[in-house]
Amino acid sequence: MENDILFEVSTPLGFRVRITHSYWEFIVTVKHPVMRERATEVQDVLRSPDEIRRSRSDSAVFLFYRAEPSGRWLCAVAKQLHDEGFLITTYPTDAIKEGERVWSK
């Protein structure tokens, strides 16, 4: 399974987020095809977001936001399990969701 890792990056919250090739393929074919060529940008938003919010429905889930030149936001959603985490999904959005702001640039 280790060789299936697409990327693993450290976040400003002190935990690492990883995603496998196979789960990335699921995200970009089923959930958000618009993200297909944007894996590098997702790594960037996890490493250096403009803002991080805690999910209102799951305290172990964080939403990482970074402003895009288009005026929209790139959001990467990750779940933290101890010092590790995994990417749940990622998508472009017009607005930052409600939730506790836990970090900002």
Side-chain angles (χ1 to χ4, degrees), residues 40-91:
T40 299
E41 292 166 77
V42 173
Q43 291 174 66
D44 292 343
V45 73
L46 290 165
R47 273 191 204 107
S48 182
D50 291 328
E51 187 168 316
I52 305 171
R53 301 251 174 163
R54 185 183 305 271
S55 168
R56 293 189 318 164
S57 58
D58 184 339
S59 64
V61 172
F62 297 91
L63 293 86
F64 295 75
Y65 290 96
R66 191 171 200 186
E68 297 195 291
S70 65
R72 298 186 71 182
W73 297 89
L74 179 59
C75 179
V77 182
K79 183 160 187 163
Q80 180 183 11
L81 299 170
H82 309 291
D83 293 334
E84 297 182 1
F86 60 91
L87 188 69
I88 295 172
T89 194
T90 182
Y91 53 87

Side-chain angles (χ1 to χ4, degrees), residues 2 8 12 18 25 34 44 46 65 70-71 93 102-104:
E2 281 293 314
E8 184 174 18
R18 76 171 66 183
E25 197 58 30
V34 68
D44 292 343
L46 290 165
Y65 290 96
S70 65
T93 184
V102 296
W103 188 92
S104 64

Side-chain angles (χ1 to χ4, degrees), residues 16-34:
R16 297 181 64 74
V17 172
R18 76 171 66 183
I19 186 167
T20 62
H21 287 277
S22 54
Y23 193 70
W24 178 258
E25 197 58 30
F26 173 71
I27 289 174
V28 300
T29 56
V30 176
K31 293 175 123 184
H32 302 287
V34 68

